């Protein structure tokens, strides 16, 4: 169903209305086993092979809480500056759906494990960076559902399908939900704030080591809530947009929803509380099937599980395991490396931050490390449409390259060829150098041979040089470089040539 | 003393175990005798839904072989047992008395069944029950009622009527029941047998198909207090697969049953659980039993538990609420019955048709009550309030146990009523549990044992003993003393007076 | 306490996925109403200062280690499934996106 939305252009919409955002993210934990049972969580097993009576919800089965999942949640809460509950319970969220083996989901309701926190994010504006504090309402634990595939329809989606198939491998994997308090005052920056928040959250989860947080794989999911109101008036009705599967989509979903709701309100209409489905290809959302009334989940405390009451000393132990927050780390590195905000941002945008830090840690000079990662390698990654980290080049490779360049056995251009070889999977630095024969030719005798050969080919140039036109040496140097397939040190060739001809610079 | 043929089914488990240990009789003989007995009488009693003749004889022969090889076996090894059809057993149909699970063969053993197997007990079969354990008469089984061996036209109690009837009909010397509001104790009372609901968490619920998760407990049933203690010791104990299971050693219930000494104990009569509403003969036999306890050296005082009058109401809110959630999984998608899937209907329709066809009326009633009690706008008044009443009842027990060691009451307000008498009147049916429910709400332990036949109808009367949480041993101490005194007086166990079938 | 109507029962039946026949609706409405009237008395004593009990025997922090354990064989669950296709449970068409 294609949507024909009337929309108000963003600038106009934002001039008339104040947006209020709410972001709900779900993080799939990278624990070895599921939230309530010992089934493996690893991605990609054959359908219905990572299941047991508990995660299948077989009659008589009972859940038992994964301690590591609780630890991860507490660490996430601490990293988000939350308070950690002294005592909390799980609750049952009751509704019928075929991907839910028990037809209820074990979650947390009015007693989340972590609450009242915040995450500071920075948004780039034409006037410079602006900080926003996104307040966190809660961080709580729940279990993931099974996976549905829909058969018989044209699109593979639910609508029009004849029947569906369920794989419960994913059912029971620990899912941590992070809910923001309403985000107000972002105004025109709302889309970027949303994106910056999810990005920062993702980086934080990675730094904590609790999840892969890959949106494209579903280990980080985001639902975007947006409402508009005229300045000074009460908040409007919010819509919820799902199927937001990338950082870029987060930004676009907020933007498009502001534009859409502005059009509805401008025409005197009412924004409906609904769940919408985002489409990557159009950058717009379409309405889901509208529900007449909000679902009644009949929450009550989960009787099969006992309360979670983390002792304060356990919480402090976990606090001590927190890594440096990404924002603080970035500020520290920027200061240590003494580079401009802009240069730093380029580095971050290229996905090179970790790699540069690791390369410097391996002993490479800061400027050299940055040069390689943000220059040649970033270009290559971009051309190939892959992430920097996926090229197969490691900080150790860079270190070795720099060693060889420093020792004079490789020139910069030869080093680039070595990198090509590494990326092509031909081996490590030394292996590629050997197999491709990329060593700098530094043997004077060999170079003189090549110089003589070049001179013999271009006798008139030789005369010019002898006659004082030193610049003409370039042609001979070029010929020698060609003959040595770029493996000669050009400066050295030039020096030898001049010496040979008895000419000084 | 040799045991032969039909004698075998009249023996208690302790005697059988000792006889087998001493080589007087084999488990195969004992098992065969019980299977024969079942063959003779179960067409009339209908205690069993599933008979495991082949498996039982195989297990019995295995025990005999291991014993002959000199292996050390458990105290009940080789003794046959019946298991209520609400506990999972790998590969064996587990119906919970419902059509919705007809034919379902679980792929896993409940912890209770695991421990029975580990103890060398021989499982004869699965017994009948009210559907999903909802009931006090076993009339709500989708597979037909069970009949009380004392009078086949009467109910054997519920929900665990099958297990109790199997004992009373000498079809098995031991049985496993489950108790959510009295489903072990009330059947025990109306069949003249012994049944115990352990402290909540005392026996693992892993593999026990849930009715009300915060109330359910599996427990031992037998014809004597000592047998019940032996079985209790075999199945109780911490299970890491059940988060609510108690992480403490099992109280020494067998030693307490052996000591059987109430001298110096303080016993409390619960004022709110006697008097009006209790059949005259029930009250009479109860009072006589209390007098015996005094004779045995206990001090009996009256205590008041004022909030017990709200227990029934709280129970009939909490149970349906939890049950409505626990039974949601029976939707025809993964196992059990599926109805109405013609390829055109939606999943919502198929789920609804399946559940309509698969569940009986009592189950549907309770699911709807539970759905209502939890629904938004009603939670505080219903479920929320019931949870508070639960706190008040727990406090009543705590205050009482500060004064006394155990509490006693009649187990049920009446003796066994006729099949059909109350089945169309839910509220009347619910009243059967009035004395047993408070214990489930507070989570402590209780026993029912037979104390006589009501003069007006000649039917068994049970006395309930209630102990503080974790003090299950006190049940056996008092129960064994009382039983011994009664056997002394009558010359035999009460169950010996059951009419021949 | 307001009385339970036929419409109320219809709503409950839908929430609970019970396809009740029309004649059942009135029958259940009557029975449920009686039951609900009698249990409503719990609110008489449920004062604000009384904490609710969700777990009868107080316990906290029961956990398991994050280790993988064997599950069930797919053949066993396939054998019990009402409908099975392509190694998955086959379920009728779903109308509502969740």
């Amino acid at each position: 169903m294609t949507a024909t939305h009337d929309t108000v252009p963003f600038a106009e919409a934002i001039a008339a209305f104040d947006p209020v955002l709410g972001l709900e993210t779900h993080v799939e934990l990278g624990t070895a086993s599921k939230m309530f049972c010992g089934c493996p969580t690893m991605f990609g097993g054959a359908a219905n092979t990572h299941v047991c009576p508990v995660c299948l919800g077989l009659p008589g089965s009972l859940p038992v809480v994964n301690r590591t999942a609780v630890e991860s949640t507490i660490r996430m809460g601490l990293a988000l500056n939350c308070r950690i509950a002294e005592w909390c319970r799980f609750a049952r969220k009751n509704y019928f759906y075929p991907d839910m083996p028990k037809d209820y989901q074990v979650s947390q309701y009015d007693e989340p494990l972590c609450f009242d926190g915040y995450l500071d994010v920075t948004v780039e504006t034409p006037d410079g960076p602006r900080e926003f504090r996104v307040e966190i309402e809660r961080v709580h634990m729940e279990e993931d559902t099974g996976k549905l595939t829909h058969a018989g329809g044209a699109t593979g989606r639910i609508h029009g399908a004849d029947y569906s198939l369920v794989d419960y491998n994913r059912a029971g994997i620990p899912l941590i939900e992070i809910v923001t308090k309403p985000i107000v005052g972002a105004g025109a920056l709302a889309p970027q704030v949303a994106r910056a928040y999810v990005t920062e959250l993702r980086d934080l989860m990675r730094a904590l080591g609790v999840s892969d947080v890959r949106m494209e794989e579903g280990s980080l999911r985001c639902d975007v809530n947006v409402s508009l109101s005229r300045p000074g008036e009460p908040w409007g009705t919010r819509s919820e947009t799902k199927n937001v599967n990338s950082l870029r989509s987060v930004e676009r979903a907020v933007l498009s929803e502001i534009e859409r709701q502005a059009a509805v309100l401008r025409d005197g209409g009412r924004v409906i509380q609904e769940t919408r489905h985002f489409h990557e290809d159009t950058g717009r959302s379409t309405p889901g099937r509208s529900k007449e009334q909000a679902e009644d989940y009949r929450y009550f405390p989960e009787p099969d599980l006992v309360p979670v009451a983390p002792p304060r000393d356990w919480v402090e132990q976990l606090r001590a395991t927190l890594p440096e927050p990404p924002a603080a780390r970035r500020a520290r590195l920027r200061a240590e490396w003494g580079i401009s905000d802009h240069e730093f941002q380029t580095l971050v945008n290229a996905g090179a931050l970790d790699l540069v830090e690791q390369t410097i840690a391996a002993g490479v000079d800061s400027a050299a490390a940055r040069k390689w990662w943000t220059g040649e390698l970033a270009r290559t990654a971009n051309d190939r449409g892959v992430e920097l980290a996926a090229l197969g080049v490691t900080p150790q490779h860079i270190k070795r390259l720099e060693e060889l360049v420093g020792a004079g056995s490789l020139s910069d251009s030869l080093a680039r060829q070595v990198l090509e070889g590494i990326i092509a999977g031909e081996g490590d630095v030394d292996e590629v150098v050997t197999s491709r024969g990329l060593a700098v030719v530094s043997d004077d005798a060999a170079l003189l041979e090549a110089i003589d050969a070049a001179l013999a080919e271009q006798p008139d140039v030789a005369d010019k040089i002898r006659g004082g036109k030193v610049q003409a040496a370039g042609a001979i140097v070029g010929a020698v470089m060609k003959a040595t397939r770029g493996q000669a040190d050009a400066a050295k060739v030039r020096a030898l040539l001049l010496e040979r001809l008895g000419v000084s610079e | 003393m040799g045991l032969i043929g039909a004698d075998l089914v009249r023996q208690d488990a302790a005697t059988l175990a000792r006889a087998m240990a001493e080589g007087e009789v084999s488990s195969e003989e004992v098992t065969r005798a019980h299977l024969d007995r079942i063959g003779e009488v179960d067409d009339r009693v209908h205690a069993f839904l599933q008979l495991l003749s082949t498996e039982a004889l195989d297990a019995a022969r295995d025990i005999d072989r291991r014993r002959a090889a000199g292996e050390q076996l458990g105290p009940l090894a080789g003794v046959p047992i019946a298991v209520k059809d609400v506990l999972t057993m790998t590969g064996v149909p587990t119906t919970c008395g419902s059509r919705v699970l007809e034919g379902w063969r679980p792929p896993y053993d409940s912890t209770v069944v695991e421990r029975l197997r580990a103890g060398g007990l021989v499982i004869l079969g699965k017994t009948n029950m009210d559907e999903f354990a909802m009931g006090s008469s076993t009339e709500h089984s989708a597979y037909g009622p069970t009949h009380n061996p004392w009078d086949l036209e009467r109910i054997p109690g519920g929900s665990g009527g099958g297990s109790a009837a199997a004992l009373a009909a000498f079809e098995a010397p031991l049985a496993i029941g489950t108790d959510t509001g009295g489903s072990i104790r009330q059947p025990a009372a109306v069949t003249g047998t012994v049944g115990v609901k352990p402290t909540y968490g005392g026996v693992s619920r892993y593999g026990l198909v849930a009715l009300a998760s915060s109330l359910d407990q599996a427990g031992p049933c037998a014809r004597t207090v000592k047998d019940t203690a032996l079985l209790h010791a075999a199945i109780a104990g911490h299970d890491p697969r059940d988060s609510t299971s108690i992480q403490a050693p099992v109280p020494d219930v067998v030693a307490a049953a052996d000591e059987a000494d109430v001298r110096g104990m303080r016993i409390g009569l619960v004022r709110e659980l006697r008097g009006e509403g209790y059949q005259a003969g029930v009250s009479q036999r109860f009072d006589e039993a209390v007098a015996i306890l005094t004779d045995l050296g206990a001090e009996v005082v009256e205590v008041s538990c004022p909030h017990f009058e709200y227990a029934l109401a709280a129970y009939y809110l909490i149970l349906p609420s939890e049950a409505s959630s626990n039974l949601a999984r029976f939707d025809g998608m993964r196992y059990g019955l599926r109805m109405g899937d013609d390829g055109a209907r939606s999943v919502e329709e198929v789920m609804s048709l399946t559940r309509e066809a698969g569940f009986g009326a009592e189950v549907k009633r309770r699911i709807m009550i539970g759905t209502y009690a939890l629904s938004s706008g009603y939670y505080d008044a219903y479920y929320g309030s019931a949870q508070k009443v639960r706190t008040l009842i727990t406090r009543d027990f705590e205050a009482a146990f500060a004064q006394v060691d155990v509490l006693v009451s009649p187990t049920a307000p009446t003796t066994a009523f006729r099949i059909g008498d109350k089945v169309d009147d839910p509220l009347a049916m619910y009243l059967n549990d009035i004395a047993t429910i408070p214990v489930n709400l507070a989570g402590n332990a209780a026993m029912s044992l037979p104390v006589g036949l009501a003069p007006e109808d000649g039917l068994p009367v049970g006395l309930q003993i209630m102990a503080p949480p974790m003090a299950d041993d006190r049940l056996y101490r008092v129960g064994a003393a009382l039983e011994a005194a009664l056997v002394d007086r009558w010359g035999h166990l009460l169950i010996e007076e059951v009419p021949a079938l | 306490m307001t009385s339970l109507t036929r419409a109320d029962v219809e709503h409950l039946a839908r929430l609970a996925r019970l396809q009740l026949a029309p004649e059942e609706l009135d029958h259940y409405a009557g029975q449920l109403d009686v039951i609900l009237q009698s249990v409503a008395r719990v609110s008489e004593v449920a004062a604000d200062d009384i904490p609710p009990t969700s777990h009868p025997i107080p316990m906290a922090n029961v956990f398991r280690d994050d280790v993988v354990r064997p599950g069930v064989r797919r053949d066993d669950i396939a054998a019990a499934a009402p409908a099975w296709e392509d190694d998955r449970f086959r379920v009728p068409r779903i109308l509502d996106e969740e």
Side-chain angles (χ1 to χ4, degrees):
Chain A
M1 172 168 76
T2 42
T4 47
H5 285 293
D6 207 12
T7 59
V8 170
F10 184 73
E12 211 182 301
I14 218 69
F17 298 103
D18 291 332
V20 174
L21 305 182
L23 295 164
E24 280 168 32
T25 47
H26 284 88
V27 175
E28 222 179 46
L29 292 184
T31 50
S33 63
K34 291 186 178 181
M35 186 76 220
F36 300 120
C37 68
C39 287
T41 57
M42 66 200 191
F43 194 71
N48 288 307
T49 56
H50 296 167
V51 292
C52 75
V54 178
C55 56
L56 280 175
L58 294 188
S61 63
L62 292 173
V64 186
V65 177
N66 181 331
R67 181 186 295 105
T68 301
V70 176
E71 283 180 359
S72 294
T73 309
I74 293 174
R75 293 176 71 234
M76 286 164 71
L78 291 171
L80 290 168
N81 305 290
C82 290
R83 292 174 49 199
I84 308 300
E86 303 211 350
W87 186 92
C88 67
R89 290 173 294 189
F90 287 91
R92 291 194 187 175
K93 180 180 183 182
N94 297 282
Y95 64 101
F96 287 84
Y97 206 69
D99 67 359
M100 295 222 303
K102 301 184 289 289
D103 288 312
Y104 61 83
Q105 181 196 36
V106 181
S107 177
Q108 294 192 289
Y109 178 50
D110 49 356
E111 297 166 357
L113 179 54
C114 322
F115 55 95
D116 287 350
Y118 61 87
L119 184 62
D120 291 330
V121 303
T122 308
V123 172
E124 297 290 322
T125 77
D127 304 323
R130 259 188 72 183
E131 280 237 327
F132 281 92
R133 173 157 292 191
V134 176
E135 294 192 7
I136 307 286
E137 175 77 43
R138 52 189 287 145
V139 178
H140 77 247
M141 303 175 282
E142 57 188 42
E143 52 178 346
D144 210 345
T145 62
K147 204 143 166 54
L148 285 164
T149 43
H150 309 295
T155 63
R157 285 195 54 211
I158 269 191
H159 304 296
D162 291 332
Y163 60 92
S164 300
L165 300 172
V166 201
D167 170 15
Y168 292 108
N169 279 0
R170 196 183 67 178
I173 289 184
L175 211 55
I176 310 304
E177 181 169 338
I178 303 166
V179 182
T180 67
K181 294 192 183 173
I183 302 171
V184 291
L189 294 173
Q192 288 116 290
V193 170
R195 179 180 182 151
Y197 168 75
V198 180
T199 308
E200 190 69 28
L201 199 63
R202 184 199 62 177
D203 291 349
L204 191 57
M205 298 303 119
R206 277 212 187 121
L208 285 168
V210 296
S211 168
D212 284 340
V213 272
R214 291 195 198 290
M215 288 184 86
E216 64 279 12
E217 275 177 19
S219 47
L220 174 65
R221 301 170 211 166
C222 186
D223 296 338
V224 172
N225 294 276
V226 178
S227 73
L228 292 184
S229 59
R230 290 196 172 79
E233 286 185 8
W235 291 350
T237 307
R238 65 177 173 82
S239 69
E240 179 187 38
T241 304
K242 292 171 120 66
N243 198 46
V244 179
N245 295 330
S246 69
L247 294 171
R248 185 161 165 258
S249 295
V250 170
E251 188 171 347
R252 293 164 85 212
V254 171
L255 191 144
S256 72
E257 195 49 18
I258 289 172
E259 292 185 337
R260 184 192 71 85
Q261 289 192 16
V264 170
L265 294 171
R266 170 201 65 189
D267 294 343
R270 214 175 42 87
V271 172
I272 310 167
Q273 179 171 345
E274 60 178 348
T275 298
R276 301 179 65 83
H277 185 97
F278 187 74
H279 302 272
E280 276 278 339
D281 48 357
T282 62
R284 300 259 163 230
S285 63
T286 51
R289 196 177 153 89
S290 93
K291 297 176 184 176
E292 285 127 29
Q293 24 179 219
E295 188 77 56
D296 183 355
Y297 293 118
R298 288 160 278 132
Y299 286 97
F300 67 99
E302 168 60 84
D304 287 332
L305 292 173
V306 298
V308 174
R312 299 298 94 178
D313 58 330
W314 187 35
V315 173
E316 290 316 305
Q317 267 173 45
L318 292 173
R319 193 193 299 275
T321 72
L322 294 184
E324 185 182 20
R329 170 175 169 252
R330 287 197 294 271
R332 176 177 60 80
L333 291 175
R334 185 167 50 229
E336 275 176 22
W337 299 341
I339 57 178
S340 72
D341 285 352
H342 177 72
E343 276 180 274
F344 191 80
Q345 199 57 41
T346 307
L347 202 149
V348 169
N349 291 345
L353 188 63
D354 292 350
L355 292 161
V356 168
E357 194 192 22
Q358 287 159 24
T359 305
I360 293 171
V364 174
D365 163 73
S366 154
R370 283 183 281 113
K371 177 197 84 176
W372 283 114
W373 288 109
T374 63
E376 182 66 25
L377 291 169
R379 267 195 298 280
T380 307
N382 208 38
D383 289 343
R384 288 163 188 244
V386 298
E387 281 195 21
L388 203 52
L391 286 177
V393 179
T394 69
Q396 291 307 317
H397 291 151
I398 302 299
K399 176 179 166 135
R400 183 72 185 129
L401 273 181
E402 281 289 313
E403 275 170 10
L404 293 175
V405 168
S409 2
L410 278 182
S411 62
D412 263 7
S413 83
L414 285 176
R416 277 194 282 280
Q417 289 184 54
V418 173
L419 283 176
E420 264 176 41
I422 294 173
I423 292 170
E426 292 166 25
D428 66 21
V429 172
D430 293 281
E431 284 165 346
V432 171
V433 163
T434 307
S435 68
R436 287 194 180 195
L438 291 176
V440 165
V441 177
S442 51
D443 174 15
D444 284 5
L447 285 176
L448 284 168
E449 219 182 287
I451 288 168
D452 288 342
L455 285 170
E457 298 246 320
Q458 304 181 62
D460 46 320
V461 175
D463 291 334
K464 278 192 193 148
I465 296 171
R466 285 197 203 93
K469 272 202 167 167
V470 181
Q471 314 88 285
I476 302 297
V477 172
V480 170
M481 291 304 287
K482 196 162 166 201
T484 60
R485 286 171 294 124
Q487 287 172 228
D489 181 336
K492 188 157 195 188
V493 168
R494 185 190 168 83
L496 281 173
L497 167 62
L498 294 176
E499 200 193 327
R500 183 52 135 208
L501 296 177
V503 174
S504 53
E505 202 57 68
Chain B
M1 179 178 48
L3 300 170
I4 41 154
D7 286 345
L8 290 172
V9 303
R10 310 287 300 195
Q11 304 305 315
D12 60 50
T15 305
L16 288 171
R18 189 174 50 248
M20 285 186 277
E22 287 166 12
E24 287 174 27
V25 71
S26 70
S27 176
E28 184 176 352
E29 285 172 88
V30 172
T31 301
R32 207 177 281 285
H34 284 89
L35 290 171
D36 288 345
R37 173 68 178 171
I38 292 168
E40 276 167 36
V41 302
D42 208 54
D43 57 328
R44 284 165 286 154
V45 176
H46 192 228
F48 285 88
L49 291 179
Q50 195 74 28
L51 202 54
L52 302 170
S53 311
T54 315
E55 295 87 334
L57 287 168
D58 284 345
R61 281 189 277 263
D62 187 60
I63 290 292
D64 290 333
R65 190 188 46 74
R66 285 161 60 193
R67 203 190 298 271
E71 204 178 305
Q72 271 289 72
L73 299 171
L76 289 173
V79 178
I81 187 168
V83 174
K84 185 175 180 181
D85 202 22
V86 74
L87 288 147
T88 64
M89 247 184 105
T90 308
V92 172
T94 298
T95 67
C96 303
S98 179
R99 288 269 171 235
V100 96
L101 274 181
E102 189 169 10
W104 179 58
R105 292 171 190 266
Y108 76 108
D109 274 350
S110 52
T111 298
V112 168
V113 164
E114 234 178 53
R115 290 186 180 180
L116 292 176
R117 292 199 212 262
L121 285 96
V122 174
I123 300 175
L124 294 169
K126 311 297 285 306
T127 57
N128 199 13
M129 52 185 284
D130 281 301
E131 187 179 3
F132 286 112
M134 300 192 214
S136 321
S137 66
T138 311
E139 292 173 283
H140 292 301
S141 167
Y143 301 97
T146 296
H147 302 261
N148 192 327
W150 288 82
D151 177 342
L152 294 172
E153 287 172 27
R154 292 179 185 266
I155 54 97
S159 62
S163 282
L167 293 168
F170 298 97
E171 293 173 292
L174 296 173
I176 297 289
T178 66
D179 191 309
T180 304
S183 295
I184 283 177
R185 290 162 286 155
Q186 183 255 11
V190 303
T191 57
T193 58
V194 182
V196 166
K197 185 202 86 71
T199 299
Y200 180 82
V203 176
S204 171
R205 288 185 302 115
Y206 186 74
L208 163 51
V209 180
L211 164 57
S213 314
S214 72
L215 303 169
D216 294 344
Q217 263 299 274
C221 312
R223 292 189 291 265
T224 70
V225 173
K226 175 67 180 278
D227 279 0
T228 310
L230 288 166
L231 184 52
H232 189 134
I235 59 174
H238 179 241
D239 181 9
R241 286 173 297 190
D242 175 354
S243 300
T244 61
S245 92
I246 294 173
Q247 294 179 31
V250 182
D252 200 342
V253 295
V254 176
D258 287 338
E259 279 162 28
D261 185 356
V262 301
R263 283 173 302 175
M265 285 186 84
R266 290 171 57 82
I267 297 181
L269 289 185
V270 182
R271 181 189 309 156
E272 288 76 12
L273 296 181
R274 56 206 304 256
E276 204 186 296
Y278 288 80
Q279 182 181 324
V282 166
S283 295
Q284 184 187 331
R285 293 305 182 215
F286 172 75
D287 289 337
E288 287 166 8
V290 171
I292 291 177
L293 287 170
T294 310
D295 292 341
L296 290 173
E299 188 188 334
V300 177
V301 299
E302 194 186 63
V303 297
S304 173
C305 296
H307 297 97
F308 278 22
E309 66 164 288
Y310 295 94
L312 202 68
Y315 176 81
Y316 279 103
L317 279 168
I318 292 169
L319 181 145
S321 299
E322 295 185 9
S324 69
S325 179
N326 284 326
L327 267 58
R329 70 192 69 201
F330 300 106
D331 61 7
M333 297 297 112
R334 290 161 291 282
Y335 41 80
L337 183 71
R338 180 185 288 192
M339 293 279 287
D341 187 6
D342 60 0
R345 291 202 174 95
S346 70
V347 72
E348 192 179 301
E349 288 174 282
V350 171
M351 284 186 180
S352 301
L353 288 167
T354 298
R355 292 160 64 79
E356 162 67 9
F359 290 141
E362 183 60 34
V363 169
K364 283 188 274 204
R365 261 192 294 274
R366 297 200 196 186
I367 286 176
M368 284 191 281
I369 291 174
T371 305
Y372 186 81
L374 290 174
S375 56
S376 101
Y378 297 103
Y379 181 100
D380 288 337
Y382 288 109
Y383 187 74
S385 295
Q387 297 283 52
K388 293 185 173 195
V389 170
R390 203 168 178 172
T391 303
L392 293 170
I393 288 171
T394 304
R395 289 179 183 172
D396 279 1
F397 269 118
E398 281 166 4
F401 286 127
Q403 300 173 58
V404 299
D405 300 307
V406 297
L407 296 167
V408 293
S409 78
T411 305
T414 68
T415 55
F417 46 90
R418 286 184 200 286
I419 292 172
D421 265 6
K422 301 189 187 181
V423 78
D424 293 321
D425 188 348
L427 274 181
M429 189 68 86
Y430 296 164
L431 284 168
N432 291 309
D433 297 329
I434 199 156
T436 46
I437 274 170
V439 160
N440 298 87
L441 289 170
N444 50 321
M447 166 190 283
S448 177
L449 75 157
V451 291
L453 301 178
E456 61 268 49
D457 52 32
L459 294 166
V461 174
L463 176 144
Q464 175 179 229
I465 308 168
M466 296 169 266
M470 320 282 244
D472 304 36
D473 52 311
R474 293 186 201 178
L475 303 173
Y476 293 92
R477 174 181 303 280
V478 176
L482 184 53
E483 179 189 72
L486 290 168
V487 169
D488 228 25
R489 175 178 292 195
W490 300 325
H492 51 257
L493 288 165
L494 184 69
I495 196 62
E496 304 295 332
E497 294 184 34
V498 72
L501 280 166
Chain C
M1 283 301 134
T2 50
S3 233
L4 209 63
T5 66
R6 185 192 163 95
D8 291 329
V9 176
E10 254 180 315
H11 174 67
L12 289 175
R14 188 168 47 245
L15 269 181
R17 297 298 186 267
L18 293 170
Q19 186 79 22
L20 298 181
E23 58 274 16
E24 284 183 282
L25 289 171
D26 290 318
H27 176 68
Y28 279 121
Q31 288 184 332
L32 295 180
D33 203 37
V34 167
I35 295 167
L36 286 167
Q37 303 277 10
S38 75
V39 298
R41 59 200 307 253
V42 289
S43 57
E44 285 168 29
V45 282
D48 285 340
D49 63 333
I50 302 168
T53 296
S54 56
H55 297 83
I57 307 294
M59 248 186 264
N61 295 333
V62 174
F63 301 128
R64 38 169 274 276
D65 293 337
D66 184 26
V67 288
V68 172
R69 295 228 177 283
V72 289
R73 296 181 326 137
R74 185 163 65 192
D75 287 344
D76 289 337
I77 57 167
W84 185 261
E85 183 179 303
D86 194 22
D87 296 330
R88 292 166 173 77
F89 295 87
R90 179 182 159 143
V91 301
R93 65 194 181 95
I94 303 164
L95 297 179
D96 260 304
E97 199 127 16
E98 193 34 60

